[in-house]
Amino acid sequence: MSNLLFLLILLPAVAAAVCYFVRSSAVRTLTVLATGAVLTAASLALLGQGIFDPLTVGSVLGIPSDFLVTVLDFALLGVIFMYGVKHRNLLIQGFTLAQAALLVWFELVMVKHAAVPALAGDQLSLIMVLVISIVGSLICIFAIPYMKEHEEHLHLKKSRQPQFFFFLLLFLGAMNGLVLSNNILWLYFFFEVTTLCSFMLIGHDATEVAVKNSVRALWMNSLGGLAFVLGMMLVYSKVGTLDISAILAGGPQGALMVTGVGFLCLAGFTKAAQVPFQSWLLGAMVAPTPVSALLHSSTMVKAGVYVVLRFAPAYSGTLLSDGVAVCGAFTFLACAALCIGQSNGKKILAYSTVSNLGLIICCAGLNTPLAITAAVLLIIFHAISKSLLFLCVGAIEQAIGSRDIEDMRGLYAKFPRTATITIIGILTMLLPPFGVLMSKWMAMEAASANIYVIVMLAMGSALTMVYWARWGGLLMATREAGAAPEKQAGLIRMPLTVLCLGAVFLSLASPWIYNSMLAPMFDAPPFTVSFGSLDAATGSFAVVPLFIVLGLGALYAVKAASGFRKVKIVAPYLSGSNTGDEGTYIGPMNSPVPFSAGNMYLGELFAEGKLTPIFNALAVALIVLMLGGAL
């Protein structure tokens, strides 16, 4: 067990150091591939061994582990403070100094340093390790050829890839450490490591806009770090232990303790970019695409929802729980609305991510077995589909020089493989029987008793259909006769193919994933599995029967379209008599009018600049009410 934990947490840090200090592209490629393979194998082996009781880590390199984490905590805060000074940002400096001062008081005065088991693995932790290690590794592999072309496009004289892969791999180790931590001080340390990694990766290109957005991400997440420290102190002052498993076992224990958990949830909100903190994640879109994919699928934002989910038993049945549910549902609706007016592919994915994270947090607040099941399944399937779509957008951008979805119209004609994978990725976010839609169905079933939450979830889901269907329709077109086969690097194609197959086949296997990985989390599991369907008193989701229908429909569509190259192509009716030249028709004054196609983005109704201040103000009010409810 200890060897597996070492591989999952420390191996990425060692591999990161190799990538940074050995300046050889061949060594870097081999290191990333080997690390991905080992992390994947170790995460599967850990799942095979099953949950394990909290265990103590005595020392690392002869240094007591708790003392080492404390030293690294303050060193990390010192590094973040230095960047605050470098960029002349008083918010970073103030939040970091406040964390350091409170941490000194906490460590030296409040805490009785008894031995606390440092690591533990329940079903939630093991699932998170799988998502981080497998999805994260595929993104790192994709980054190998992507960053080579990215730097060629920037005409860099000196490669920055050693630093890039250092923080990319370190991120994976920090996330595994975070989800396996049982000592809340360890959890805080890894929480802050992810803050530093995201800052460095967002600002990687060192352009003015990249630096500006990385600084914004740093100060917002430093605010989250301060909230974490405050929450940790309040919880400890009531329960008197750093042991997370003991904190959760006791459930809610009075207003002071629940208020502390409320601040921990606020820290999770900032990390998960919930409204009004969404701007840092939207700004992160300036980073290279592998960074966006990693932040949105398996690392940074998943750390935020993990914290809110992890401490859910500690606020179950309280007003704080209701407040978390309402805040999450509001983010789900607000970001779905903001997504309607976007045509930038990365921005659509960013708003969609924040929206889905809001749904996960809403489920944590609903705090029933059905809602927690929905949240965990959504973490799994959202990570796979969203990482796939981000990587697809990166590949498309390098192919056509644009990330605007209007420029992707008819992409299938020239890049059929990438377009097909992108369409499948969109369908897995949009339709049954795929896992994301199934998880949303569970969430809405769980929210049916709360009128405010269910209305927001229903409205947000309707808006979600609009932007996904619009994008998917743009990509579909007939393949050009005689078009050259699409060329794609093997290390680009492999992650895309694996994630695409994973999104489909894991959805097909979702009843058995639920039975083996989620049902053991509950004394009274919300579903039973029969004939490939998830059945409950509230309804059933017929996964396998729906897949059979989908497969038959796909076969029929392929057969119906198989003879398209032999048919005569007739120009479409273009609102007037065709001129005979493709793409023009006779319009007013008998003049030829060029044909153009475009989507409606309803800019007046869903204007980002108008809606964002309103949504931010409402979100701040809801968070204040949430924390007030805890008191």
Side-chain angles (χ1 to χ4, degrees):
M1 181 66 69
S2 58
N3 290 335
L4 288 177
L5 298 177
F6 170 81
L7 290 174
L8 290 165
I9 299 172
L10 294 183
L11 175 64
V14 174
V18 171
C19 288
Y20 186 80
F21 291 109
V22 182
R23 304 287 173 118
S24 164
S25 60
V27 171
R28 185 164 56 246
T29 298
L30 183 61
T31 301
V32 172
L33 291 172
T35 303
V38 172
L39 286 179
T40 299
S43 63
L44 291 170
L46 188 66
L47 179 68
Q49 291 195 12
I51 63 174
F52 58 92
D53 293 329
L55 55 87
T56 301
V57 179
S59 62
V60 178
L61 300 176
I63 304 172
S65 58
D66 288 344
F67 176 74
L68 179 62
V69 167
T70 299
V71 171
L72 291 174
D73 259 335
F74 286 106
L76 186 60
L77 289 173
V79 171
I80 294 173
F81 179 80
M82 287 173 56
Y83 279 111
V85 172
K86 177 182 177 180
H87 295 290
R88 300 178 182 178
N89 189 289
L90 294 178
L91 290 173
I92 296 172
Q93 297 173 42
F95 292 147
T96 306
L97 286 176
Q99 285 183 69
L102 290 172
L103 206 58
V104 168
W105 176 263
F106 186 57
E107 292 268 18
L108 298 182
V109 178
M110 291 183 64
V111 175
K112 298 175 182 177
H113 287 281
V116 175
L119 302 172
D122 62 1
Q123 290 298 129
L124 177 60
S125 296
L126 299 186
I127 290 169
M128 291 296 297
V129 167
L130 279 175
V131 171
I132 294 159
S133 300
I134 298 177
V135 177
S137 294
L138 288 169
I139 294 169
C140 291
I141 291 169
F142 177 93
I144 296 170
Y146 180 92
M147 290 306 296
K148 181 177 183 295
E149 188 166 338
H150 180 76
E151 291 194 340
E152 289 174 357
H153 175 72
L154 294 178
H155 305 293
L156 296 183
K157 294 181 180 179
K158 183 179 180 181
S159 173
R160 299 196 190 104
Q161 290 189 53
Q163 177 178 305
F164 180 84
F165 281 96
F166 174 84
F167 285 105
L168 210 64
L169 292 173
L170 184 63
F171 220 145
L172 300 185
M175 279 297 301
N176 280 333
L178 187 151
V179 300
L180 290 167
S181 292
N182 183 63
N183 185 326
I184 198 168
L185 279 170
W186 284 52
L187 177 60
Y188 167 72
F189 167 68
F190 289 118
F191 192 84
E192 288 300 285
V193 173
T194 64
T195 294
L196 179 64
C197 289
S198 63
F199 163 72
M200 298 301 296
L201 289 169
I202 294 168
H204 172 75
D205 285 343
T207 61
E208 183 179 351
V209 66
V211 171
K212 178 183 176 181
N213 284 291
S214 67
V215 170
R216 180 197 292 137
L218 188 57
W219 79 253
M220 282 194 176
N221 284 288
S222 294
L223 171 62
L226 178 57
F228 196 108
V229 175
L230 288 169
M232 182 168 57
M233 294 174 71
L234 290 173
V235 169
Y236 183 86
S237 66
K238 176 63 179 179
V239 301
T241 181
L242 300 171
D243 189 324
I244 294 175
S245 59
I247 294 170
L248 301 181
Q253 300 178 44
L256 184 64
M257 184 263 197
V258 174
T259 301
V261 175
F263 276 103
L264 293 176
C265 289
L266 178 60
F269 282 15
T270 61
K271 192 74 74 174
Q274 297 295 279
V275 181
F277 307 109
Q278 75 279 11
S279 61
W280 80 257
L281 192 60
L282 294 168
M285 295 303 97
V286 303
T289 294
V291 175
S292 303
L294 200 67
L295 292 179
H296 285 254
S297 63
S298 60
T299 57
M300 189 70 168
V301 294
K302 290 300 191 291
V305 296
Y306 172 79
V307 168
V308 179
L309 264 176
R310 170 54 68 206
F311 287 96
Y315 58 82
S316 177
T318 67
L319 286 176
L320 173 62
S321 193
D322 294 332
V324 170
V326 171
C327 287
F330 178 76
T331 290
F332 177 67
L333 172 60
C335 288
L338 289 168
C339 207
I340 295 292
Q342 306 301 320
S343 66
N344 182 308
K346 262 193 165 183
K347 212 165 189 180
I348 292 171
L349 295 177
Y351 272 126
S352 168
T353 294
V354 178
S355 180
N356 280 282
L357 295 172
L359 182 57
I360 297 170
I361 287 174
C362 173
C363 290
L366 293 171
N367 229 333
T368 63
L370 178 56
I372 299 301
T373 299
V376 177
L377 285 173
L378 194 56
I379 286 174
I380 297 170
F381 292 112
H382 176 264
I384 297 169
S385 294
K386 193 54 66 70
S387 60
L388 171 64
L389 287 170
F390 265 108
L391 298 186
C392 284
V393 168
I396 292 168
E397 184 181 10
Q398 287 194 338
I400 68 174
S402 173
R403 62 179 65 157
D404 193 302
I405 65 171
E406 290 294 332
D407 295 330
M408 300 178 194
R409 186 176 298 277
L411 185 74
Y412 184 81
K414 294 183 179 179
F415 303 100
R417 183 190 300 115
T418 302
T420 300
I421 290 175
T422 307
I423 291 167
I424 293 172
I426 289 171
L427 293 178
T428 62
M429 292 292 299
L430 175 66
L431 295 176
F434 297 109
V436 173
L437 193 282
M438 180 185 70
S439 304
K440 288 182 178 179
W441 167 75
M442 292 180 183
M444 296 184 74
E445 290 283 354
S448 58
N450 188 320
I451 185 63
Y452 305 107
V453 172
I454 190 63
V455 167
M456 286 190 282
L457 296 191
M459 293 173 64
S461 296
L463 294 172
T464 297
M465 293 287 291
V466 174
Y467 59 77
W468 285 130
R470 179 174 61 195
W471 190 355
L474 279 170
L475 298 172
M476 299 181 187
T478 302
R479 178 78 192 274
E480 291 180 356
E486 179 180 355
K487 295 181 180 179
Q488 203 171 60
L491 293 182
I492 293 286
R493 185 186 311 151
M494 187 271 281
L496 293 182
T497 304
V498 171
L499 287 169
C500 182
L501 294 175
V504 174
F505 287 106
L506 289 180
S507 292
L508 176 60
S510 57
W512 297 276
I513 292 173
Y514 163 80
N515 240 4
S516 61
M517 298 172 65
L518 276 79
M521 295 172 64
F522 310 106
D523 295 329
F527 293 101
T528 58
V529 176
S530 61
F531 302 105
S533 298
L534 290 166
D535 301 321
T538 54
S540 299
F541 197 94
V543 177
V544 173
L546 284 171
F547 261 103
I548 292 173
V549 173
L550 177 67
L552 293 174
L555 288 174
Y556 176 79
V558 169
K559 183 179 179 181
S562 60
F564 78 94
R565 287 189 174 85
K566 300 177 182 178
V567 302
K568 180 181 179 181
I569 298 176
V570 179
Y573 176 70
L574 299 175
S575 304
S577 300
N578 292 340
T579 63
D581 295 329
E582 186 177 349
T584 62
Y585 64 94
I586 301 300
M589 306 300 291
N590 287 322
S591 300
V593 178
F595 164 75
S596 64
N599 278 297
M600 292 181 64
Y601 292 92
L602 304 176
E604 290 293 323
L605 187 59
F606 294 100
E608 184 180 21
K610 293 179 181 178
L611 292 180
T612 298
I614 298 171
F615 289 157
N616 286 350
L618 290 173
V620 169
L622 289 174
I623 289 172
V624 170
L625 290 173
M626 179 189 80
L627 294 176
L631 287 169

